[in-house]
Amino acid sequence: AELDNTRTGRSGSLASPPAHFDVTQKIDVNPPKGTRDFPPEEMRLRSWLFQNFREVSQLFGFEEVDFPVLESEALFIRKAGEEIRDQLYCFEDRGNRRVALRPELTPSLARLVIQKGKSVSLPLKWFAIGQCWRYERMTRGRRREHYQWNMDIIGVPNVAAEAELIFSIVTFFKRIGITASDVGFKVSSRKVLQEVLRRYSVPENLFGRVCVVIDKLEKIPIDDIKKELRSAELSEEAVEELLQILSVKSLTKLEEKLGSSVEALADLKQLFSLAEKYGYSEWIQFDASIVRGLAYYTGIVFEGFDREGKLRAICGGGRYDRLLSTFGGDDIPACGFGFGDAVIVELLKERGLVPDLSPQVQNIVCSLDQDLQGAASLVAARLREKGQSVDLVLENKPLKWVFKRAARINAQRLIIVGSEEWQKGMVGVKILSSGEQYEIKVDELE
Ligand SMILES: Nc1ccc(Br)nc1
C-alpha cells in the first residue's frame, strides 16, 4: 500500500540518506532518560489537561506568569535535607555560574514578586504551568521531569486564601469528572508541629528539618524517623509526644491534646468553616500527619490523595509566610499549591475518565491533477480566511489515498478541485459523515 509519505523521502521505499549527508553514527531516537516526548495523541491529552488548568485559574481571577526553566542554584539551596535539594538538576554553566533546572516553581515566583516590589499591588493571584526537573539516579527508573500547575496567592495572611486555593482544585477535579468519592484532601497546619516543638524548647531553626523528616512518615521505617528526629536534637519525650500528636485525625482530639488557645486550631476551624460555606466539606479531612516535604511551609498544608490509596499524592500545597523574607524581600504572607501532570493522568486512566480527543480538521482539500495544485492552494486559503481548518494535500495523490488520509485525520469535509468544475469556478464537496456530495462556487464555500 502507498505509504502516506510520513516515513519516506520518496513514495514507496524506505529512503537511505543522500550521499552528501555525513551519517557518522546512528543516533538514539529516544528522549533522554526520565524525559518524555509528546507525540500528537499524548500532546492532545496534555493540551486538554493544561486547558482545564488555565480555565480554572481564569475562573478564579488568576493571572498567568512564567519564569525561566533555568535558575540560579541559590534559589533552591535550603539546608533542611529535602529530597528536592538532593535531586537538584544543577551544573556550572560556561560562565562558571552555578545554575539549576528548576525543581519547582514557587521560588521563581517569590523571586519575581520581590523583583516587582512596590510596582505590583497586593494581593497577587498568579498561576503558572511549567516543566520542573530532578536528577534522580535512574536506579529507581522514575521520571526526571514533569509539568506542574501552580496557583499562588501573595499578600493575604488569613486562611481564606487557602480555602480559595483548595476550592480551585476541587473545581478542577469536578470539571474532569473526578468526585469526592475518588479523591480527598488531607489538611493540617505546621503550626501544630511548631507548638509541640515550642513546648519542648526545640530551636526554631530546626523546624524545617523536622518537617522534612516527618514528611517521610509511612515512606521509611518508624525507627528511622525516630533516629532522624533524635539527630535533630529532639528528646525522647519530644519524639514520642510528636508522633502521638501526628496520629490525631480530628480537630476535637487535637483540641484535647493542645488546648483551645493554639493558633493552629483557630486556622483549621476557620478553614473547615469556609469549606462548608463553599460546599466542599466532603472533600477535606483533618490529618495531623500531613506536613508536606518542602521546608518553607509555615502554616496550613494540604495534599490531594486518591481514596483507593494506589497512587502517590496528586497535588499539594500550603502557606509559606517566610519564603519571601528569606530571599531578602519584605515579610509578605503567601500560599500556593503544585499539581503535577503525571499522577492525575494515572488516576484518570484508573477511573476510565481519559477523554476521547481524536484529531479534528474541518476540511481536506485536494486537486485531481498536478496542474490544479495552485487552484487547490487558493481554495485552502479562502477557507482558512473564513476560519475553517484545512489539511491541503500537497502532492498529486490518487483519491483512494486522499480518502484514507481524510479518515485518519478525522476530516469532516472533502473539497475536490477538478478541471471541469474549476472551469466553471466550482469545486466538488463531499460531507464525509453522510456521504452527501454537491458542487459549489468557490466564493460560496464556508
Ligand atoms: N520536583 C520534581 C521535579 C520533577 C519530578 Br518528575 N518530580 C518532582
Side-chain angles (χ1 to χ4, degrees), residues 410-435:
N410 202 11
Q412 292 162 11
R413 198 167 62 162
L414 169 59
I415 313 288
I416 300 173
V417 181
S419 50
E420 272 180 45
E421 295 82 359
W422 191 247
Q423 296 304 324
K424 299 178 286 179
M426 311 277 277
V427 289
V429 177
K430 187 177 182 71
I431 307 302
L432 293 166
S433 55
S434 64

PDB file of all heavy atoms in Angstrom, residues 410-435:
ATOM      1  N   ASN A 410      -9.580  12.480  10.558  1.00  0.00           N
ATOM      2  CA  ASN A 410     -10.935  12.804  11.011  1.00  0.00           C
ATOM      3  C   ASN A 410     -11.450  14.104  10.381  1.00  0.00           C
ATOM      4  O   ASN A 410     -11.983  14.977  11.067  1.00  0.00           O
ATOM      5  CB  ASN A 410     -10.926  12.941  12.550  1.00  0.00           C
ATOM      6  CG  ASN A 410     -12.321  12.732  13.136  1.00  0.00           C
ATOM      7  OD1 ASN A 410     -13.220  12.294  12.417  1.00  0.00           O
ATOM      8  ND2 ASN A 410     -12.494  13.078  14.385  1.00  0.00           N
ATOM      9  N   ALA A 411     -11.241  14.233   9.053  1.00  0.00           N
ATOM     10  CA  ALA A 411     -11.742  15.423   8.323  1.00  0.00           C
ATOM     11  C   ALA A 411     -13.256  15.318   8.195  1.00  0.00           C
ATOM     12  O   ALA A 411     -13.804  14.220   8.045  1.00  0.00           O
ATOM     13  CB  ALA A 411     -11.098  15.487   6.947  1.00  0.00           C
ATOM     14  N   GLN A 412     -13.919  16.473   8.290  1.00  0.00           N
ATOM     15  CA  GLN A 412     -15.378  16.452   8.185  1.00  0.00           C
ATOM     16  C   GLN A 412     -15.866  16.574   6.741  1.00  0.00           C
ATOM     17  O   GLN A 412     -16.884  16.051   6.367  1.00  0.00           O
ATOM     18  CB  GLN A 412     -15.963  17.599   9.035  1.00  0.00           C
ATOM     19  CG  GLN A 412     -15.757  17.365  10.529  1.00  0.00           C
ATOM     20  CD  GLN A 412     -15.930  18.640  11.341  1.00  0.00           C
ATOM     21  OE1 GLN A 412     -16.392  19.658  10.837  1.00  0.00           O
ATOM     22  NE2 GLN A 412     -15.534  18.591  12.604  1.00  0.00           N
ATOM     23  N   ARG A 413     -15.038  17.248   5.907  1.00  0.00           N
ATOM     24  CA  ARG A 413     -15.496  17.582   4.551  1.00  0.00           C
ATOM     25  C   ARG A 413     -14.327  17.437   3.570  1.00  0.00           C
ATOM     26  O   ARG A 413     -13.210  17.838   3.890  1.00  0.00           O
ATOM     27  CB  ARG A 413     -15.985  19.044   4.595  1.00  0.00           C
ATOM     28  CG  ARG A 413     -16.853  19.471   3.487  1.00  0.00           C
ATOM     29  CD  ARG A 413     -17.518  20.800   3.790  1.00  0.00           C
ATOM     30  NE  ARG A 413     -16.550  21.904   3.958  1.00  0.00           N
ATOM     31  CZ  ARG A 413     -16.925  23.194   3.879  1.00  0.00           C
ATOM     32  NH1 ARG A 413     -18.201  23.510   3.684  1.00  0.00           N
ATOM     33  NH2 ARG A 413     -16.038  24.151   4.028  1.00  0.00           N
ATOM     34  N   LEU A 414     -14.598  16.825   2.414  1.00  0.00           N
ATOM     35  CA  LEU A 414     -13.584  16.695   1.356  1.00  0.00           C
ATOM     36  C   LEU A 414     -13.925  17.696   0.256  1.00  0.00           C
ATOM     37  O   LEU A 414     -15.057  17.717  -0.251  1.00  0.00           O
ATOM     38  CB  LEU A 414     -13.590  15.271   0.796  1.00  0.00           C
ATOM     39  CG  LEU A 414     -12.782  15.033  -0.500  1.00  0.00           C
ATOM     40  CD1 LEU A 414     -11.315  15.387  -0.317  1.00  0.00           C
ATOM     41  CD2 LEU A 414     -12.938  13.581  -0.952  1.00  0.00           C
ATOM     42  N   ILE A 415     -12.941  18.549  -0.082  1.00  0.00           N
ATOM     43  CA  ILE A 415     -13.142  19.516  -1.175  1.00  0.00           C
ATOM     44  C   ILE A 415     -12.251  19.066  -2.330  1.00  0.00           C
ATOM     45  O   ILE A 415     -11.029  18.965  -2.168  1.00  0.00           O
ATOM     46  CB  ILE A 415     -12.724  20.948  -0.750  1.00  0.00           C
ATOM     47  CG1 ILE A 415     -13.306  21.316   0.627  1.00  0.00           C
ATOM     48  CG2 ILE A 415     -13.096  21.943  -1.844  1.00  0.00           C
ATOM     49  CD1 ILE A 415     -14.783  21.583   0.650  1.00  0.00           C
ATOM     50  N   ILE A 416     -12.876  18.769  -3.498  1.00  0.00           N
ATOM     51  CA  ILE A 416     -12.116  18.267  -4.637  1.00  0.00           C
ATOM     52  C   ILE A 416     -12.078  19.336  -5.736  1.00  0.00           C
ATOM     53  O   ILE A 416     -13.126  19.876  -6.123  1.00  0.00           O
ATOM     54  CB  ILE A 416     -12.761  16.973  -5.194  1.00  0.00           C
ATOM     55  CG1 ILE A 416     -12.771  15.893  -4.093  1.00  0.00           C
ATOM     56  CG2 ILE A 416     -12.008  16.492  -6.421  1.00  0.00           C
ATOM     57  CD1 ILE A 416     -13.536  14.626  -4.487  1.00  0.00           C
ATOM     58  N   VAL A 417     -10.850  19.663  -6.180  1.00  0.00           N
ATOM     59  CA  VAL A 417     -10.696  20.650  -7.259  1.00  0.00           C
ATOM     60  C   VAL A 417     -10.429  19.876  -8.545  1.00  0.00           C
ATOM     61  O   VAL A 417      -9.367  19.266  -8.704  1.00  0.00           O
ATOM     62  CB  VAL A 417      -9.510  21.611  -6.955  1.00  0.00           C
ATOM     63  CG1 VAL A 417      -9.368  22.647  -8.065  1.00  0.00           C
ATOM     64  CG2 VAL A 417      -9.735  22.297  -5.600  1.00  0.00           C
ATOM     65  N   GLY A 418     -11.448  19.844  -9.419  1.00  0.00           N
ATOM     66  CA  GLY A 418     -11.323  19.116 -10.684  1.00  0.00           C
ATOM     67  C   GLY A 418     -11.364  20.099 -11.854  1.00  0.00           C
ATOM     68  O   GLY A 418     -11.948  21.181 -11.713  1.00  0.00           O
ATOM     69  N   SER A 419     -10.764  19.726 -12.983  1.00  0.00           N
ATOM     70  CA  SER A 419     -10.614  20.708 -14.077  1.00  0.00           C
ATOM     71  C   SER A 419     -11.966  21.157 -14.627  1.00  0.00           C
ATOM     72  O   SER A 419     -12.211  22.359 -14.793  1.00  0.00           O
ATOM     73  CB  SER A 419      -9.734  20.130 -15.190  1.00  0.00           C
ATOM     74  OG  SER A 419     -10.210  18.853 -15.529  1.00  0.00           O
ATOM     75  N   GLU A 420     -12.913  20.228 -14.841  1.00  0.00           N
ATOM     76  CA  GLU A 420     -14.213  20.648 -15.425  1.00  0.00           C
ATOM     77  C   GLU A 420     -14.905  21.651 -14.491  1.00  0.00           C
ATOM     78  O   GLU A 420     -15.298  22.738 -14.889  1.00  0.00           O
ATOM     79  CB  GLU A 420     -15.112  19.420 -15.606  1.00  0.00           C
ATOM     80  CG  GLU A 420     -14.917  18.723 -16.958  1.00  0.00           C
ATOM     81  CD  GLU A 420     -15.828  17.504 -17.081  1.00  0.00           C
ATOM     82  OE1 GLU A 420     -17.032  17.629 -16.717  1.00  0.00           O
ATOM     83  OE2 GLU A 420     -15.307  16.462 -17.481  1.00  0.00           O
ATOM     84  N   GLU A 421     -15.007  21.259 -13.213  1.00  0.00           N
ATOM     85  CA  GLU A 421     -15.697  22.150 -12.250  1.00  0.00           C
ATOM     86  C   GLU A 421     -14.959  23.484 -12.143  1.00  0.00           C
ATOM     87  O   GLU A 421     -15.542  24.558 -12.107  1.00  0.00           O
ATOM     88  CB  GLU A 421     -15.755  21.501 -10.864  1.00  0.00           C
ATOM     89  CG  GLU A 421     -16.581  20.225 -10.769  1.00  0.00           C
ATOM     90  CD  GLU A 421     -15.786  19.011 -11.241  1.00  0.00           C
ATOM     91  OE1 GLU A 421     -14.618  19.179 -11.650  1.00  0.00           O
ATOM     92  OE2 GLU A 421     -16.353  17.908 -11.209  1.00  0.00           O
ATOM     93  N   TRP A 422     -13.600  23.419 -12.130  1.00  0.00           N
ATOM     94  CA  TRP A 422     -12.801  24.632 -11.921  1.00  0.00           C
ATOM     95  C   TRP A 422     -13.018  25.627 -13.061  1.00  0.00           C
ATOM     96  O   TRP A 422     -13.060  26.841 -12.837  1.00  0.00           O
ATOM     97  CB  TRP A 422     -11.322  24.260 -11.771  1.00  0.00           C
ATOM     98  CG  TRP A 422     -10.471  25.417 -11.296  1.00  0.00           C
ATOM     99  CD1 TRP A 422      -9.508  26.055 -12.009  1.00  0.00           C
ATOM    100  CD2 TRP A 422     -10.539  26.086 -10.026  1.00  0.00           C
ATOM    101  NE1 TRP A 422      -8.952  27.065 -11.266  1.00  0.00           N
ATOM    102  CE2 TRP A 422      -9.569  27.119 -10.044  1.00  0.00           C
ATOM    103  CE3 TRP A 422     -11.335  25.924  -8.892  1.00  0.00           C
ATOM    104  CZ2 TRP A 422      -9.356  27.970  -8.968  1.00  0.00           C
ATOM    105  CZ3 TRP A 422     -11.130  26.763  -7.826  1.00  0.00           C
ATOM    106  CH2 TRP A 422     -10.152  27.783  -7.845  1.00  0.00           C
ATOM    107  N   GLN A 423     -13.233  25.063 -14.268  1.00  0.00           N
ATOM    108  CA  GLN A 423     -13.535  25.932 -15.425  1.00  0.00           C
ATOM    109  C   GLN A 423     -14.772  26.781 -15.137  1.00  0.00           C
ATOM    110  O   GLN A 423     -14.909  27.901 -15.583  1.00  0.00           O
ATOM    111  CB  GLN A 423     -13.815  25.062 -16.682  1.00  0.00           C
ATOM    112  CG  GLN A 423     -12.639  24.226 -17.175  1.00  0.00           C
ATOM    113  CD  GLN A 423     -11.394  25.072 -17.477  1.00  0.00           C
ATOM    114  OE1 GLN A 423     -11.511  26.215 -17.963  1.00  0.00           O
ATOM    115  NE2 GLN A 423     -10.234  24.527 -17.177  1.00  0.00           N
ATOM    116  N   LYS A 424     -15.694  26.200 -14.341  1.00  0.00           N
ATOM    117  CA  LYS A 424     -16.944  26.933 -14.032  1.00  0.00           C
ATOM    118  C   LYS A 424     -16.828  27.677 -12.696  1.00  0.00           C
ATOM    119  O   LYS A 424     -17.815  28.147 -12.139  1.00  0.00           O
ATOM    120  CB  LYS A 424     -18.114  25.918 -13.935  1.00  0.00           C
ATOM    121  CG  LYS A 424     -18.376  25.121 -15.224  1.00  0.00           C
ATOM    122  CD  LYS A 424     -19.519  24.106 -15.013  1.00  0.00           C
ATOM    123  CE  LYS A 424     -19.038  22.933 -14.173  1.00  0.00           C
ATOM    124  NZ  LYS A 424     -20.060  21.906 -13.887  1.00  0.00           N
ATOM    125  N   GLY A 425     -15.606  27.714 -12.135  1.00  0.00           N
ATOM    126  CA  GLY A 425     -15.440  28.397 -10.843  1.00  0.00           C
ATOM    127  C   GLY A 425     -16.054  27.598  -9.713  1.00  0.00           C
ATOM    128  O   GLY A 425     -16.419  28.132  -8.668  1.00  0.00           O
ATOM    129  N   MET A 426     -16.175  26.295  -9.925  1.00  0.00           N
ATOM    130  CA  MET A 426     -16.826  25.445  -8.916  1.00  0.00           C
ATOM    131  C   MET A 426     -15.820  24.424  -8.350  1.00  0.00           C
ATOM    132  O   MET A 426     -14.773  24.174  -8.948  1.00  0.00           O
ATOM    133  CB  MET A 426     -17.983  24.653  -9.554  1.00  0.00           C
ATOM    134  CG  MET A 426     -18.962  25.446 -10.384  1.00  0.00           C
ATOM    135  SD  MET A 426     -20.203  26.237  -9.394  1.00  0.00           S
ATOM    136  CE  MET A 426     -21.378  24.886  -9.165  1.00  0.00           C
ATOM    137  N   VAL A 427     -16.183  23.847  -7.215  1.00  0.00           N
ATOM    138  CA  VAL A 427     -15.423  22.719  -6.651  1.00  0.00           C
ATOM    139  C   VAL A 427     -16.429  21.663  -6.207  1.00  0.00           C
ATOM    140  O   VAL A 427     -17.603  21.965  -5.973  1.00  0.00           O
ATOM    141  CB  VAL A 427     -14.561  23.143  -5.419  1.00  0.00           C
ATOM    142  CG1 VAL A 427     -13.396  24.018  -5.859  1.00  0.00           C
ATOM    143  CG2 VAL A 427     -15.403  23.820  -4.341  1.00  0.00           C
ATOM    144  N   GLY A 428     -15.924  20.424  -6.035  1.00  0.00           N
ATOM    145  CA  GLY A 428     -16.792  19.344  -5.537  1.00  0.00           C
ATOM    146  C   GLY A 428     -16.663  19.251  -4.030  1.00  0.00           C
ATOM    147  O   GLY A 428     -15.585  19.469  -3.473  1.00  0.00           O
ATOM    148  N   VAL A 429     -17.792  19.010  -3.360  1.00  0.00           N
ATOM    149  CA  VAL A 429     -17.768  18.880  -1.884  1.00  0.00           C
ATOM    150  C   VAL A 429     -18.369  17.542  -1.507  1.00  0.00           C
ATOM    151  O   VAL A 429     -19.387  17.125  -2.073  1.00  0.00           O
ATOM    152  CB  VAL A 429     -18.598  20.013  -1.224  1.00  0.00           C
ATOM    153  CG1 VAL A 429     -18.619  19.825   0.296  1.00  0.00           C
ATOM    154  CG2 VAL A 429     -18.036  21.378  -1.605  1.00  0.00           C
ATOM    155  N   LYS A 430     -17.735  16.840  -0.534  1.00  0.00           N
ATOM    156  CA  LYS A 430     -18.315  15.580  -0.048  1.00  0.00           C
ATOM    157  C   LYS A 430     -18.316  15.634   1.480  1.00  0.00           C
ATOM    158  O   LYS A 430     -17.268  15.788   2.116  1.00  0.00           O
ATOM    159  CB  LYS A 430     -17.488  14.384  -0.517  1.00  0.00           C
ATOM    160  CG  LYS A 430     -18.128  13.025  -0.198  1.00  0.00           C
ATOM    161  CD  LYS A 430     -17.256  11.892  -0.763  1.00  0.00           C
ATOM    162  CE  LYS A 430     -17.867  10.512  -0.526  1.00  0.00           C
ATOM    163  NZ  LYS A 430     -19.056  10.219  -1.341  1.00  0.00           N
ATOM    164  N   ILE A 431     -19.523  15.542   2.066  1.00  0.00           N
ATOM    165  CA  ILE A 431     -19.615  15.504   3.546  1.00  0.00           C
ATOM    166  C   ILE A 431     -19.291  14.071   3.951  1.00  0.00           C
ATOM    167  O   ILE A 431     -20.040  13.135   3.598  1.00  0.00           O
ATOM    168  CB  ILE A 431     -21.035  15.888   4.013  1.00  0.00           C
ATOM    169  CG1 ILE A 431     -21.460  17.240   3.397  1.00  0.00           C
ATOM    170  CG2 ILE A 431     -21.085  15.940   5.543  1.00  0.00           C
ATOM    171  CD1 ILE A 431     -20.535  18.401   3.715  1.00  0.00           C
ATOM    172  N   LEU A 432     -18.172  13.882   4.663  1.00  0.00           N
ATOM    173  CA  LEU A 432     -17.660  12.512   4.837  1.00  0.00           C
ATOM    174  C   LEU A 432     -18.499  11.692   5.811  1.00  0.00           C
ATOM    175  O   LEU A 432     -18.493  10.463   5.778  1.00  0.00           O
ATOM    176  CB  LEU A 432     -16.196  12.587   5.262  1.00  0.00           C
ATOM    177  CG  LEU A 432     -15.310  13.155   4.133  1.00  0.00           C
ATOM    178  CD1 LEU A 432     -13.941  13.546   4.640  1.00  0.00           C
ATOM    179  CD2 LEU A 432     -15.201  12.166   2.974  1.00  0.00           C
ATOM    180  N   SER A 433     -19.233  12.358   6.707  1.00  0.00           N
ATOM    181  CA  SER A 433     -20.045  11.561   7.663  1.00  0.00           C
ATOM    182  C   SER A 433     -21.280  10.996   6.949  1.00  0.00           C
ATOM    183  O   SER A 433     -21.652   9.837   7.164  1.00  0.00           O
ATOM    184  CB  SER A 433     -20.482  12.456   8.817  1.00  0.00           C
ATOM    185  OG  SER A 433     -21.154  13.594   8.300  1.00  0.00           O
ATOM    186  N   SER A 434     -21.897  11.830   6.073  1.00  0.00           N
ATOM    187  CA  SER A 434     -23.175  11.383   5.477  1.00  0.00           C
ATOM    188  C   SER A 434     -22.997  10.859   4.054  1.00  0.00           C
ATOM    189  O   SER A 434     -23.851  10.159   3.530  1.00  0.00           O
ATOM    190  CB  SER A 434     -24.145  12.577   5.424  1.00  0.00           C
ATOM    191  OG  SER A 434     -23.588  13.567   4.550  1.00  0.00           O
ATOM    192  N   GLY A 435     -21.854  11.235   3.415  1.00  0.00           N
ATOM    193  CA  GLY A 435     -21.672  10.817   2.029  1.00  0.00           C
ATOM    194  C   GLY A 435     -22.314  11.787   1.045  1.00  0.00           C
ATOM    195  O   GLY A 435     -22.134  11.703  -0.162  1.00  0.00           O
TER     196      GLY A 435
END
